[in-house]
Amino acid sequence: MPMSFEDLFEEIKRQYDILNLVSQYVKLKRVGKNYVGLCPFHAEKTPSFTVNPEKQIFKCFGCGASGDVISFYMKIKGLDFRSALLELAERAGLEIKTLPFKEKKRERELVELNFKVAKIYQNFLHTHPLGDKARDYLKKRGLSEETWENFFLGYAPPEGRVLAGLLRASQFDMEQAIEAGLLKKMDDGSYLDLFRDRLVIPILNEKGECVGFAGRALSPDVEPKYLNSPETRLFKKSEILYGLFQSKEFIKKERSLYLVEGYFDYLSLWEREIKNVVATCGTALTERHVQKICSYAEDIYLLFDGDKAGKKAALRAISLFSKKNRLPQVISLPSEEDPDSFVQKFTKEQSEQLKEKLKELTLSAPAFAYHTLKHEFPSHPSKVFQELVELFSEIDDPLLEQEVCRELAFYLELPEGDIRRSLRKNKKSQPIQDKTSHMEEIKKEEGFLKIIAQYLVNYPEEIPSLEEVGLRKLLENFEEGPYQRFLLQLLELKPKEESQILSIPSPDFQELLSDLLFSPPFEDKKEVQEQIKRFIFLERKKREIKKIAESIKFFEKTGKREEIERILFSIKKAMTYKEISEI
Ligand SMILES: [Zn+2]
């Protein structure tokens, strides 16, 4: 019988003996109740890799690797949790019709269907009687057949029943085509193609899987100009960057990237041998896009439309990038141009001249922002200043901040120090100078959470007594971290004994757990318990007082005298706990 994900996890733990599995990869020798060997995860000459068969866990005292039988398999085979479970299940001959695997299969089928559809449309571009309309369009936009092929460009005929007919004839799952948004089911039970009389642009994810489509209208009076296939599990417009699959090797080689907003902006650049490009898919730039772009390229060039909307989009992009401590450069096109029209002025052979021209038009982010805002608010210097501060204040890399301050000081003719102060005052997050001490504090607190975790793993029967003094409340207000999550999971489970803890199906949890179980037990349980209770109490008070201090600050700003008095009263009340004096 097929089993659930949790059942599968437990079943695998039952089926596999860690000693047995590890022995297939590591030569082990018995020492007391443990087995030791040379660690497979780091180079060593004396064995520090230890397996405890009684608890079915391992730990390396050299590199710190630890976990259960599944984490070992994940690490040694370089697999993620799901794939490791799947492989182990297959090796043990377990039937695996669990949901996550079913989903994976469905995703594969969806990609397959999309590729099939892309091929069908690609074929129509060359063979359909009306395909010449699309071919003329592509030629008019200066794209060579090589580029059509490279990007699987296609043509969807106007009839509206063509794709449906072909898919049915080759026995494809019609429901799946509906899920992918390629067909619509009509009231009379027939199917209608989504794309009709459109140029079809398949959209590939970075792995090269076809996950969606865009359709460009070929007649000027048809709305919308671009039609996207709907969002699916695989096609998320807020994440996907058009062309990344084809461009990534060029981006890596050049270590730089041009970001454009349209499919044809992308294709025109590609046609002219500028291949380190990506485009957003008919949607505004998101943080996820920015994250991905930053992970691929060092130098980022924004190449947006020259009009007001394009400039506004560039300012927005600058703000998104500066939150990630990166500043793009902006290629500022004349207001009547878009990247496609601009690039069209150059032939394929003039690619070097084009690159030169783009370089000439490139501005640093502060320069672009200053000129754009000054143009927008010509008689409002303070508005320009405020907008600039908004734009760059989230930067918290001191060197980058300095660079921005220096440049803005030049344009605004103000002292650098004034600008720095304004940027820092406007920061929504922690100011730079406080950040390290804050981090250290969190680290210290994390250390204490580890002690609590170690304590509860050894004495699960004490969970209720710590809940009573407010452990759960504290954890819920605590900064997110591995031990914070670990403890919340533990409280959720309320285990009566160790074996129950060992069956929580999360690799992160099991990794911390194995580590904790290998730590030596406490010498004086009673004393540790007292310390833990004290820590919980003090931490909760500290957080309460911080909240009160924040309210006071707020009411001071808004000048509400009676509110402040009310708060002072509540502090006095809190002070009656005598421990408060020690904070
Ligand atoms: Zn090791």
Side-chain angles (χ1 to χ4, degrees):
M1 200 184 64
M3 54 182 84
S4 77
F5 201 55
E6 282 74 19
D7 290 345
L8 181 63
F9 175 84
E10 275 184 29
E11 187 55 33
I12 282 173
K13 285 233 189 193
R14 258 199 298 278
Q15 296 259 351
Y16 283 89
D17 172 45
I18 193 163
L19 202 55
N20 214 320
L21 184 83
V22 171
S23 302
Q24 295 171 21
Y25 302 91
V26 183
K27 220 176 144 198
L28 292 171
K29 216 178 80 189
R30 183 175 184 139
V31 178
K33 58 177 183 172
N34 289 336
Y35 286 76
V36 297
L38 293 175
C39 177
F41 307 121
H42 84 282
E44 62 176 6
K45 291 209 176 74
T46 48
S48 41
F49 182 83
T50 312
V51 177
N52 181 328
E54 185 198 332
K55 291 179 175 161
Q56 289 288 308
I57 53 177
F58 74 93
K59 173 166 174 137
C60 170
F61 291 91
C63 66
S66 66
D68 60 358
V69 66
I70 296 163
S71 356
F72 179 82
Y73 197 73
M74 281 166 69
K75 281 206 172 78
I76 200 97
K77 302 277 274 188
L79 296 171
D80 62 30
F81 184 52
R82 269 183 190 182
S83 321
L85 272 187
L86 181 62
E87 272 199 33
L88 286 169
E90 266 177 349
R91 277 173 66 153
L94 297 174
E95 197 182 344
I96 31 160
K97 282 193 186 142
T98 59
L99 195 64
F101 305 123
K102 245 191 193 160
E103 265 175 27
K104 262 269 166 294
K105 186 162 165 271
R106 193 128 181 102
E107 281 176 11
R108 271 203 303 273
E109 285 167 359
L110 212 58
V111 167
E112 221 172 277
L113 171 75
N114 281 337
F115 259 124
K116 169 97 183 163
V117 170
K119 284 271 164 218
I120 290 174
Y121 285 140
Q122 199 182 13
N123 207 18
F124 279 145
L125 180 65
H126 298 284
T127 59
H128 195 276
L130 295 173
D132 56 348
K133 199 168 152 190
R135 291 198 299 275
D136 287 345
Y137 179 82
L138 289 171
K139 281 180 205 151
K140 212 176 74 207
R141 296 200 80 150
L143 299 178
S144 65
E145 290 203 25
E146 199 190 327
T147 299
W148 312 355
E149 295 300 315
N150 257 324
F151 294 90
F152 311 101
L153 302 183
Y155 172 64
E159 297 92 311
R161 314 267 163 180
V162 187
L163 183 66
L166 281 169
L167 288 180
R168 197 203 299 271
S170 44
Q171 309 218 311
F172 256 89
D173 181 354
M174 302 303 265
E175 286 307 311
Q176 205 155 38
I178 290 173
E179 192 190 327
L182 295 164
L183 299 180
K184 224 189 318 181
K185 195 166 190 172
M186 308 306 283
D187 289 339
D188 63 359
S190 66
Y191 298 96
L192 182 69
D193 301 350
L194 171 72
F195 296 120
R196 300 182 296 278
D197 197 26
R198 281 175 185 267
L199 182 86
V200 177
I201 305 169
I203 297 169
L204 274 51
N205 65 13
E206 58 190 291
K207 286 186 269 181
E209 298 167 335
C210 183
V211 293
F213 296 89
R216 171 70 164 86
L218 289 170
S219 313
D221 50 338
V222 174
E223 289 289 332
K225 208 158 77 170
Y226 283 95
L227 184 63
N228 272 112
S229 58
E231 299 245 328
T232 63
R233 268 202 297 273
L234 292 171
F235 183 38
K236 299 201 175 76
K237 278 184 261 181
S238 60
E239 289 175 22
I240 231 157
L241 288 163
Y242 179 71
L244 181 55
F245 175 67
Q246 284 92 342
S247 282
K248 61 183 175 193
E249 58 169 310
F250 300 99
I251 295 168
K252 278 184 194 150
K253 207 172 88 199
E254 306 277 337
R255 301 165 92 170
S256 68
L257 159 162
Y258 294 90
L259 174 63
V260 295
E261 288 191 304
Y263 303 105
F264 281 97
D265 297 339
Y266 175 96
L267 294 169
S268 293
L269 284 162
W270 177 279
E271 185 71 45
R272 283 158 190 82
E273 298 296 325
I274 297 181
K275 296 186 171 177
N276 49 332
V277 191
V278 294
T280 45
C281 295
T283 176
L285 191 69
T286 66
E287 266 180 50
R288 310 206 59 150
H289 289 136
V290 168
Q291 183 86 43
K292 207 175 262 180
I293 289 169
C294 289
S295 74
Y296 271 96
E298 279 168 32
D299 294 324
I300 297 143
Y301 298 93
L302 307 180
L303 181 50
F304 293 179
D305 292 357
D307 61 4
K308 212 171 158 183
K311 292 212 153 67
K312 212 169 152 189
L315 288 178
R316 206 182 142 265
I318 290 173
S319 144
L320 282 174
F321 276 101
S322 67
K323 277 181 193 150
K324 298 260 180 277
N325 283 314
R326 298 286 292 273
L327 282 186
Q329 302 186 62
V330 187
I331 300 169
S332 187
L333 294 179
S335 62
E336 69 285 359
E337 302 272 13
D338 60 47
D340 184 35
S341 68
F342 186 79
V343 167
Q344 297 272 354
K345 296 181 177 145
F346 298 80
T347 63
K348 195 170 183 154
E349 290 68 36
Q350 292 171 315
S351 136
E352 284 309 312
Q353 281 122 290
L354 171 59
K355 279 185 206 164
E356 270 311 305
K357 192 73 202 162
L358 291 176
K359 215 183 268 171
E360 275 171 35
L361 294 172
T362 300
L363 293 173
S364 72
F368 171 81
Y370 170 76
H371 290 301
T372 305
L373 290 166
K374 202 177 157 233
H375 187 77
E376 198 179 340
F377 309 108
S379 50
H380 269 101
S382 63
K383 176 83 179 151
V384 173
F385 181 79
Q386 196 44 45
E387 292 280 322
L388 286 170
V389 167
E390 281 290 330
L391 210 50
F392 295 107
S393 61
E394 290 306 309
I395 293 174
D396 60 6
D397 173 336
L399 287 177
L400 193 61
E401 187 195 57
Q402 193 183 351
E403 209 181 295
V404 169
C405 288
R406 192 173 300 153
E407 216 175 327
L408 289 182
F410 170 78
Y411 288 115
L412 295 165
E413 296 175 13
L414 286 171
E416 251 178 80
D418 288 5
I419 293 167
R420 183 168 301 114
R421 265 190 298 283
S422 300
L423 287 183
R424 291 191 176 175
K425 225 168 83 190
N426 199 56
K427 241 183 245 312
K428 286 164 194 85
S429 50
Q430 285 282 327
I432 291 177
Q433 59 270 39
D434 291 357
K435 218 159 193 176
T436 44
S437 63
H438 183 64
M439 284 309 290
E440 270 162 23
E441 207 172 297
I442 289 179
K443 261 192 219 145
K444 220 166 59 198
E445 289 165 355
E446 269 279 322
F448 219 95
L449 287 195
K450 184 177 173 183
I451 292 174
I452 299 179
Q454 194 180 340
Y455 177 78
L456 287 182
V457 161
N458 280 299
Y459 310 107
E461 69 277 7
E462 295 291 344
I463 290 178
S465 79
L466 292 193
E467 281 233 55
E468 232 166 72
V469 294
L471 177 59
R472 183 187 295 269
K473 267 234 164 61
L474 174 66
L475 290 171
E476 281 164 357
N477 292 313
F478 219 83
E479 290 71 19
E480 267 232 30
Y483 285 104
Q484 179 253 8
R485 280 191 296 271
F486 180 92
L487 281 166
L488 276 174
Q489 265 175 301
L490 199 60
L491 293 192
E492 213 44 61
L493 183 77
K494 285 203 184 38
K496 299 257 157 26
E497 49 188 34
E498 206 180 273
S499 67
Q500 278 176 294
I501 308 179
L502 286 165
S503 68
I504 292 184
S506 149
D508 292 338
F509 185 91
Q510 291 297 332
E511 196 180 320
L512 290 186
L513 180 64
S514 311
D515 192 35
L516 293 170
L517 287 175
F518 267 109
S519 312
F522 300 108
E523 272 175 24
D524 187 343
K525 179 188 165 191
K526 194 104 192 92
E527 197 198 315
V528 175
Q529 188 178 34
E530 280 313 307
Q531 280 178 5
I532 288 175
K533 285 189 174 166
R534 196 173 176 71
F535 170 81
I536 294 174
F537 179 82
L538 289 177
E539 280 297 316
R540 288 193 56 198
K541 281 291 153 208
K542 212 164 91 186
R543 279 170 166 70
E544 252 172 59
I545 288 182
K546 213 168 131 194
K547 239 193 226 154
I548 294 173
E550 272 162 17
S551 329
I552 292 185
K553 242 194 227 155
F554 173 76
F555 287 121
E556 259 174 7
K557 261 194 207 149
T558 50
K560 290 206 172 136
R561 185 73 218 151
E562 68 278 19
E563 284 297 336
I564 297 178
E565 264 158 25
R566 193 181 57 77
I567 293 162
L568 286 175
F569 177 72
S570 61
I571 294 183
K572 261 185 224 150
K573 227 170 85 187
M575 289 294 229
T576 53
Y577 296 97
K578 72 179 195 334
E579 276 91 340
I580 213 84
S581 55
E582 295 171 22
I583 299 171

